[in-house]
Amino acid sequence: MRRNTTILALTLTVTFALSLSALAADSYVPKITKQQAEKTALAQVKGAILESDLEEEHGKWVYSVDVKKDDGTTYDIEIDADTGAVLQAVLDD
């Protein structure tokens, strides 16, 4: 009985923590738009945008933009969602 109560308590705690995380993501409003981030990414690496998403990484909100160049290589470019600064542009394996 005690084991079941402990498992239930842990399950509820994890569920609550995940709900809070989702709520924080829904309430965050970036200072730059997705379109601005994509434009910045294309200025960094010329090509076509495959995908772009707003993500929280290490406590910071960033746009992760995947750009495919004409030669077929793909770059992952991270743009700070508050400042618009390029945080990294790396070749995606």
Side-chain angles (χ1 to χ4, degrees):
M1 180 74 169
R2 178 175 219 144
R3 183 171 185 247
N4 289 342
T5 304
T6 302
I7 291 171
L8 177 61
L10 286 172
T11 302
L12 290 173
T13 302
V14 169
T15 302
F16 181 71
L18 290 174
S19 296
L20 285 178
S21 177
L23 181 61
D26 289 341
S27 65
Y28 173 74
V29 178
K31 292 183 181 159
I32 68 165
T33 65
K34 184 176 183 176
Q35 292 76 19
Q36 289 170 315
E38 290 174 349
K39 184 177 178 180
T40 300
L42 289 175
Q44 186 74 26
V45 176
K46 305 291 185 223
I49 294 175
L50 296 176
E51 180 180 14
S52 62
D53 295 304
L54 180 62
E55 304 171 348
E56 185 180 13
E57 292 194 11
H58 309 291
K60 182 174 232 167
W61 287 94
V62 299
Y63 286 101
S64 178
V65 184
D66 294 333
V67 176
K68 185 174 185 177
K69 293 179 65 171
D70 289 339
D71 65 5
T73 57
T74 302
Y75 283 79
D76 180 32
I77 304 162
E78 288 187 1
I79 310 295
D80 187 298
D82 289 323
T83 66
V86 177
L87 300 174
Q88 75 172 6
V90 295
L91 185 62
D92 199 12
D93 296 356

